């Protein structure tokens, strides 16, 4: 049986080879320390787990949920936006629940992309923006995120013919994998492009709560005009260590939220209501759970960046997300080569940046999802190797 073209043409999973390499090493008894994992290692906070236990014992949660989400959930998201960002939302028309933000990100192109329309997608970036746009039949214009632009999207350098055919721009700040953050002027510029060329902006704010200095990340919706052209995706996954629970939201432009809802009614049946109730508990908490999560990542970040720089690397401290986007030492030609050499010599794994797009070729991504004693062990192994001595 022949697969449909849309499936056959999906780009290959770049990490399949890497997974094989890591698994083989483990089978051979290597004590692997992987900085490749973009999934919090800390458990979901107890107050949320307790709330789940109670909710799941209530039979009223056991039926089909509604695709748009419990009103109480959308209201909790609304209150959280108001407190965190001073943004007012209408829970009836401007908020929709998602089975994790990935679900909404993957469905959005199906709402706006006709055959051969363009989606504008950052490179490097979260792979779903690209693959979902292709699955929807669209074309993808990659927007290189460059160090000299502080890893911000630069629309000035995109061909005007493509901007005219663009239907959708994906943005993501704080950014995975570069850890870059964006300010109000940047978002304003993006909004003026969206208005001029009539495309939608989808801002992915999965890491809005993971930050280490005083400059709290902005919501896209705080910026004037944002709601005319776009929506923002949010998630409890990274903020509350809830990646396995599958719960998130999209908020913003009423028409876009409605279109996303119409796709969803035809494909899924919403989030288990016990999970929505636990998510309400999470959002209504006092913020201390997020604070202690960020403290953990911050200590790890300091330890690993200081340690690696002492060994002779030259990398910067990320101010948000749990990723370090590190330019490889000069003596290596690609992130893949460097990553392979590090792994073979030490059993320590850094993700080659090319996995997130061609622009990542000279980088590796180091995730802060490894505890401090393992970080110390990794540093010790690197110190005793020849990695930084060439
Ligand atoms: C983790 C992640 C998501 C997905 O979050 P879910 O809500 O768990 O689906 C979305 N975007 C980026 C950039 C991420 O890193």
């Amino acid at each position: 049986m022949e697969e449909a073209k849309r499936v056959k043409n999906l780009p290959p999973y770049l990490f399949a080879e890497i997974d094989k390499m890591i698994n083989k090493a483990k089978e051979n008894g290597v004590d692997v320390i992987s900085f490749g994992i973009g999934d919090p290692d800390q458990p979901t906070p107890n107050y949320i787990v307790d709330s789940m236990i109670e909710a799941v014992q209530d039979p009223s949660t056991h039926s089909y949920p509604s695709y748009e989400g419990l009103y109480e959930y959308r209201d909790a998201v609304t209150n959280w936006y108001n407190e965190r960002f001073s943004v007012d939302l209408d829970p009836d028309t401007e908020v929709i629940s998602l089975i994790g933000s990935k679900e909404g990100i993957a469905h959005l192109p199906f709402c706006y992309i006709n055959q051969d329309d363009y989606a504008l997608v950052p490179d490097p970036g979260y792979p779903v923006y690209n693959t979902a746009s292709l699955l929807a039949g669209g074309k993808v214009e990659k927007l290189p995120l460059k160090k000299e632009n502080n890893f911000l999207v630069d629309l000035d350098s995109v061909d005007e013919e493509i901007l005219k055919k663009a239907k959708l721009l994906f943005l993501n700040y704080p950014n995975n994998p570069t850890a870059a953050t964006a300010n109000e002027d940047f978002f304003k510029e993006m909004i003026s492009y969206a208005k001029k060329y009539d495309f939608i902006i989808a801002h992915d704010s999965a890491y809005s709560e993971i930050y280490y200095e005083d400059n709290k990340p902005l919501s896209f919706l705080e910026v004037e005009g944002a709601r005319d052209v776009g929506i923002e995706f949010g998630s409890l996954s990274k903020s509350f260590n809830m990646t396995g629970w599958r719960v998130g939201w999209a908020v913003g432009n009423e028409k876009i939220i409605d279109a996303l809802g119409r796709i969803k009614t035809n494909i899924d049946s919403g989030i288990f209501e016990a999970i929505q109730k636990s998510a309400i508990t999470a959002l209504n908490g006092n913020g201390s759970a997020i604070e202690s999560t960020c403290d953990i990542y911050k200590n790890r970040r300091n330890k690993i960046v200081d340690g690696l720089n002492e060994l002779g690397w030259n990398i910067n401290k990320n101010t948000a997300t749990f990723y370090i986007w590190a330019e490889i030492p000069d003596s290596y030609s690609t992130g893949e080569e460097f990553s392979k050499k590090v792994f073979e010599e030490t059993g320590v794994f850094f993700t080659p940046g090319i996995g997130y797009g061609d622009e990542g070729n000279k980088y590796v991504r180091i995730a802060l999802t490894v505890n401090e004693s393992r970080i110390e062990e990794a540093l010790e192994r690197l110190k005793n190797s020849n990695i930084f001595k060439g």
Side-chain angles (χ1 to χ4, degrees), residues 38 99-103 105 126 129 172 176 204 206-207 234-235 237-238 243 246-247 323:
I99 311 169
S101 58
K102 182 180 184 178
E103 178 258 296
I105 292 167
Y126 185 59
Y129 315 138
N172 166 222
N176 175 10
D204 177 353
Y207 296 92
S235 171
S237 287
K238 313 295 165 48
T243 49
R246 313 311 304 133
V247 53
Y323 305 113

Side-chain angles (χ1 to χ4, degrees), residues 73-376:
Y73 174 71
R74 287 177 283 127
D75 194 47
V77 172
T78 299
N79 290 334
W80 186 81
Y81 254 78
N82 192 282
E83 267 177 37
R84 169 68 174 86
F85 301 114
S86 304
V87 167
D88 285 320
L89 295 166
D90 179 343
D92 282 318
T93 56
E94 294 178 317
V95 183
I96 191 166
S97 71
L98 296 172
I99 311 169
S101 58
K102 182 180 184 178
E103 178 258 296
I105 292 167
H107 280 142
L108 184 65
F110 289 86
C111 303
Y112 287 97
I113 300 268
N114 284 315
Q115 193 73 33
D116 297 338
D117 287 341
Y118 274 85
L120 306 172
V121 169
D123 173 2
Y126 185 59
V128 185
Y129 315 138
N130 179 44
T131 49
S133 301
L134 296 175
L135 282 173
K139 291 188 169 159
V140 168
E141 177 70 6
K142 294 284 178 72
L143 310 173
L145 304 185
K146 295 189 177 290
K147 183 170 71 169
E148 57 268 30
N149 296 331
N150 299 315
F151 302 107
L152 295 172
V153 161
D154 172 21
L155 291 181
D156 295 339
S157 61
V158 177
D159 186 343
E160 185 162 33
E161 288 311 304
I162 289 175
L163 291 175
K164 285 181 184 161
K165 291 186 214 160
K167 288 290 171 64
L168 181 56
L169 164 65
F170 282 105
L171 296 174
N172 166 222
Y173 295 98
N175 183 260
N176 175 10
T178 69
T181 54
N183 63 22
E184 190 175 350
D185 286 343
F186 168 77
F187 285 128
K188 275 193 178 148
E189 193 194 334
M190 295 297 112
I191 291 165
S192 69
Y193 268 100
K195 289 189 170 174
K196 180 166 179 200
Y197 292 100
D198 194 23
F199 57 75
I200 279 171
I201 296 177
H203 182 243
D204 177 353
S205 70
Y207 296 92
S208 70
E209 304 316 298
I210 311 295
Y211 58 90
Y212 311 109
E213 319 307 331
D214 285 335
N215 55 335
K216 288 190 181 187
L218 286 179
S219 162
F220 173 64
L221 295 182
E222 285 179 67
V223 182
E224 204 189 318
R227 216 178 306 213
D228 301 334
V229 297
I231 60 171
E232 181 158 76
F233 290 105
S235 171
L236 285 89
S237 287
K238 313 295 165 48
S239 319
F240 297 98
N241 302 326
M242 289 175 75
T243 49
W245 298 56
R246 313 311 304 133
V247 53
W249 62 75
V251 294
N253 183 282
E254 206 176 306
K255 288 192 179 129
I256 305 174
I257 296 295
D258 180 62
L260 195 52
R262 277 182 285 140
I263 288 271
K264 282 174 62 59
T265 40
N266 288 290
I267 297 182
D268 67 62
S269 301
I271 310 165
F272 182 24
E273 285 190 354
I275 292 178
Q276 293 187 58
K277 291 194 171 194
S278 314
I280 295 168
T281 305
L283 291 170
N284 289 344
N286 63 12
S288 66
I290 296 179
E291 229 171 85
S292 59
T293 298
C294 289
D295 281 345
I296 291 171
Y297 292 135
K298 186 175 183 173
N299 290 335
R300 292 174 179 177
R301 176 202 68 174
N302 292 344
K303 180 159 267 177
I304 192 157
V305 173
D306 293 343
L308 290 170
N309 285 341
E310 264 168 43
L311 297 180
W313 206 351
N314 181 14
I315 60 181
N316 293 323
K317 286 187 173 142
N318 55 316
T319 61
T321 76
F322 46 67
Y323 305 113
I324 298 160
W325 186 238
E327 209 168 351
I328 56 171
D330 289 338
S331 48
Y332 297 87
S333 56
T334 69
E336 266 178 305
E337 182 202 347
F338 176 65
S339 164
K340 195 156 180 243
K341 172 99 162 132
V342 170
F343 187 68
E344 281 170 1
E345 280 209 29
T346 65
V348 172
F349 180 73
F350 301 140
T351 310
I354 190 120
Y356 306 95
D358 291 344
E359 282 295 319
N361 194 29
K362 297 265 184 192
Y363 290 82
V364 290
R365 194 190 77 171
I366 304 171
L368 302 171
T369 51
V370 175
N371 71 37
E372 287 193 49
S373 75
R374 294 294 275 169
I375 289 173
E376 281 161 21

